[in-house]
Amino acid sequence: MIIRPRSDLRNAQRIISSIVKSDAAKLIISGMGSGKTGATLDGLYDMLSRFEVHHVLVIAPRFVAANTWPDEIEAWQHTRALSYAVAVGEPEERLAAIRARKEITTLNFENLPWLAQSIRSVDNWYWDCVVIDESSRMKSGEGRTKPTKVKTVNKAGEIVTKVRKGGNMTRFGIMTTARRKIDRVIELTGTPAPKGLIDLWGQAYLLDQGQRLGRDKGEFENRWFDKDKYTHTVEPKPGAEEEILARLHDVLVTIPQEKVADDAKFIPMKVRLPEQAMRDYREFEKTLYSEPHDVEAVSNGVLANKLLQFANGHMYREDRTVVHIHDAKMEALDELIESAQGENLLVFYGFKFDKDAIRKRYPHAVVANESNDFVTDWNKNRIRLGLAHPASIGHGTNLQYGGHLAAWYGLTFSLELWLQANKRLPRPGQTEQVLIYPIIAEGTYDERAITILNDRNATQDRIIRNFTLRT
């Protein structure tokens, strides 16, 4: 890891850091890849050093809480001095993290109800500063869950509809309860209103407890929106947008986009396989036979390919049938798609079963080599989720006009495929920073593949530099 000096902070990051330090409640709008995590940490570092705040709780998507924030803390010379704990893994790990009372604790959104149960009383809440990363996830503004109908199959094979009782406190409800114990709230997002103005109330309430848009969501909706009683669609009333934004002018700020780098920025998404799957993986790697899944590797060469399959979540048996093993990478992709908030995403897959699994999960996904107009449709923003095998979308394919986000669902050992695929988005005409997310299963052949690709690329770069014409 390259340790960066504080002087490396860009101008936009310094602006964010200044806002974090100067405002007790702020929604900072800054896009993916803009460096807002490092910028926020810079501001937190100063406040923690001056004892203006004592304990910071960062609430973020699972991957971001488990990896991005810790990695960013370790990446800067000055923030490395901060103590932190990650409350994301198993219950005992989470409990140890919150009991450690570190300067910064990271927690994923899904574990907010667990946190509330663990501390038992709001009086035990000790975080005086809260950062909500991807604050649009608080947009619902509902304090408690509502009753929902759930269809199940009984022992006789009949479909039965049951009503699941509501009334449980939601993530938003937990935060409204804790809000009186919190001195500073920093909200970060690139998409504050993915479904329109209606999304702003919940985020605004956690900033000001209802001062600007009202203390009740129903009143907010009745005042500024018209609701169709038949279709339940909600539309802003005339003038609503101007009034709402005027009321929020002092708590919302958009950070201007800086000139982007020409090269892609790689952001590894590390995922952990379920414990049983990891034990099965190690046994398979050692014996070349996976008894639980009835898969055999006839040689070490075949084993390497099978282990990449295992890391992705499926494997081929000898008869080419597919066995499902885990969903760790699919859950990471779910999180990435949600964080993209409607921005186009290009996903590189390694095996046919990867493509099939993703398309089953996301039926709107478009596969590059199954569409005659993929390049045109992508560049005209007609494709939200594109799937491509790296061998099918290499040399010369221009995709820079349709998006700036890509992910590797399944890795490759081929340096050529790796480099060519990674060059589809960062090309002349691209206007945003290209972000590429390799999804890497920890402790598996994924890690070896990344190491091999980096080593091969370094060797190639040395050859290229050595033979560059001197002018």
Side-chain angles (χ1 to χ4, degrees):
M1 175 186 289
I2 298 174
I3 310 301
R4 290 169 285 178
R6 199 174 192 179
S7 58
D8 275 1
L9 287 165
R10 302 189 304 277
N11 184 57
Q13 289 179 299
R14 295 180 187 278
I15 293 171
I16 294 173
S17 176
S18 177
I19 293 168
V20 167
K21 290 181 283 190
S22 63
D23 291 64
K26 204 77 167 186
L27 170 51
I28 300 172
I29 304 168
S30 187
M32 291 179 72
S34 62
K36 57 182 177 288
T37 305
T40 303
L41 277 169
D42 185 70
L44 293 175
Y45 171 82
D46 282 343
M47 289 194 294
L48 287 164
S49 299
R50 296 194 293 253
F51 302 107
E52 294 174 9
V53 298
H54 299 86
H55 300 283
V56 180
L57 179 66
V58 176
I59 306 167
R62 181 182 178 88
F63 169 78
V64 177
N67 298 282
T68 304
W69 279 85
D71 288 350
E72 201 70 11
I73 291 171
E74 296 288 351
W76 296 90
Q77 285 179 353
H78 59 306
T79 60
R80 286 168 67 88
L82 297 173
S83 64
Y84 67 92
V86 178
V88 173
E90 297 299 320
E92 58 272 16
E93 295 176 278
R94 288 180 247 147
L95 198 57
I98 63 172
R99 286 176 175 171
R101 299 176 73 96
K102 299 291 188 180
E103 290 173 298
I104 297 177
T105 304
T106 64
L107 178 84
N108 54 314
F109 284 97
E110 295 84 356
N111 279 331
L112 265 173
W114 168 86
L115 178 65
Q117 291 176 351
S118 297
I119 64 174
R120 298 182 180 177
S121 167
V122 70
D123 292 331
N124 295 326
W125 184 280
Y126 64 82
W127 297 278
D128 52 350
C129 177
V130 170
V131 177
I132 305 175
D133 195 349
E134 298 299 342
S135 61
S136 58
R137 295 195 180 196
M138 292 291 186
K139 65 181 181 292
S140 72
E142 301 292 342
R144 292 190 177 272
T145 58
K146 295 179 179 179
T148 54
K149 292 182 179 180
V150 180
K151 291 184 178 180
T152 60
V153 179
N154 62 19
K155 293 181 179 179
E158 301 168 328
I159 297 177
V160 179
T161 301
K162 295 182 178 180
V163 177
R164 182 179 293 164
K165 292 182 179 180
N168 295 323
M169 195 171 283
T170 64
R171 304 168 194 174
F172 175 80
I174 291 165
M175 290 308 301
T176 59
T177 302
R179 183 63 180 87
R180 65 181 175 84
K181 299 275 288 185
I182 304 168
D183 296 331
R184 308 178 78 96
V185 175
I186 303 153
E187 296 181 347
L188 306 171
T189 187
T191 51
K195 293 185 178 179
L197 292 170
I198 200 78
D199 291 344
L200 292 175
W201 184 83
Q203 296 171 83
Y205 186 91
L206 293 181
L207 294 174
D208 65 8
Q209 297 176 278
Q211 293 178 26
R212 290 166 179 79
L213 299 183
R215 295 179 61 83
D216 181 86
K217 188 179 182 182
E219 292 178 8
F220 167 73
E221 291 179 352
N222 291 335
R223 179 169 183 173
W224 282 297
F225 297 86
D226 292 320
K227 188 172 183 178
D228 189 300
K229 64 180 180 180
Y230 299 108
T231 64
H232 301 290
T233 55
V234 178
E235 295 292 337
K237 292 178 179 179
E241 181 172 331
E242 291 77 9
E243 286 186 33
I244 291 171
L245 296 183
R247 285 172 175 262
L248 297 176
H249 77 279
D250 59 332
V251 290
L252 264 67
V253 61
T254 298
I255 306 302
Q257 184 174 317
E258 295 179 301
K259 185 181 184 301
V260 300
D262 294 330
D263 294 331
K265 180 179 179 181
F266 288 83
I267 306 174
M269 292 188 75
K270 298 175 184 177
V271 301
R272 186 183 299 178
L273 301 192
E275 289 184 12
Q276 185 58 55
M278 201 67 235
R279 285 194 292 270
D280 292 343
Y281 177 92
R282 293 193 185 102
E283 185 66 19
F284 183 33
E285 187 175 29
K286 183 170 65 177
T287 66
L288 278 68
Y289 179 63
S290 175
E291 184 175 357
H293 308 297
D294 190 25
V295 175
E296 183 178 13
V298 297
S299 68
N300 285 325
V302 172
L303 178 66
N305 196 47
K306 292 292 185 186
L307 291 176
L308 284 181
Q309 295 177 20
F310 197 117
N312 289 6
H314 295 81
M315 279 195 295
Y316 286 119
R317 293 192 174 109
E318 189 176 359
D319 61 0
R320 298 299 288 177
T321 58
V322 176
V323 58
H324 172 261
I325 304 168
H326 64 81
D327 290 317
K329 285 199 175 185
M330 189 64 73
E331 291 167 3
L333 182 62
D334 290 343
E335 188 167 300
L336 182 56
I337 290 172
E338 185 173 353
S339 296
Q341 292 284 5
E343 289 196 71
N344 302 343
L345 176 65
L346 179 63
V347 178
F348 302 116
Y349 65 87
F351 303 96
K352 182 178 180 295
F353 55 62
D354 296 335
K355 174 192 70 176
D356 294 341
I358 297 169
R359 195 157 50 177
K360 183 177 180 181
R361 189 92 146 205
Y362 296 98
H364 67 280
V366 179
V367 181
N369 62 352
E370 296 179 11
S371 169
N372 293 329
D373 300 312
F374 182 85
V375 174
T376 299
D377 289 342
W378 171 267
N379 283 325
K380 290 188 175 181
N381 284 302
R382 296 171 183 161
I383 297 174
R384 283 286 170 263
L385 181 60
L387 307 182
H389 189 280
S392 69
I393 201 166
H395 303 265
T397 308
N398 290 304
L399 298 176
Q400 65 269 37
Y401 304 107
H404 68 112
L405 305 176
W408 282 83
Y409 190 88
L411 297 173
T412 176
F413 285 115
S414 169
L415 180 62
E416 181 180 10
L417 292 181
W418 171 258
L419 294 178
Q420 286 299 326
N422 289 335
K423 286 294 185 183
R424 296 313 98 213
L425 300 183
R427 300 173 73 80
Q430 176 61 259
T431 59
E432 299 187 65
Q433 173 70 66
V434 173
L435 306 177
I436 300 177
Y437 296 81
I439 303 176
I440 301 170
E442 292 182 323
T444 73
Y445 238 69
D446 277 357
E447 294 181 332
R448 187 173 299 186
I450 284 289
T451 300
I452 289 171
L453 290 168
N454 288 336
D455 288 347
R456 289 174 178 170
N457 198 25
T459 301
Q460 177 171 267
D461 285 347
R462 286 194 297 272
I463 294 171
I464 292 171
R465 287 198 303 270
N466 200 45
F467 288 93
T468 300
L469 289 173
R470 304 291 188 263
T471 57

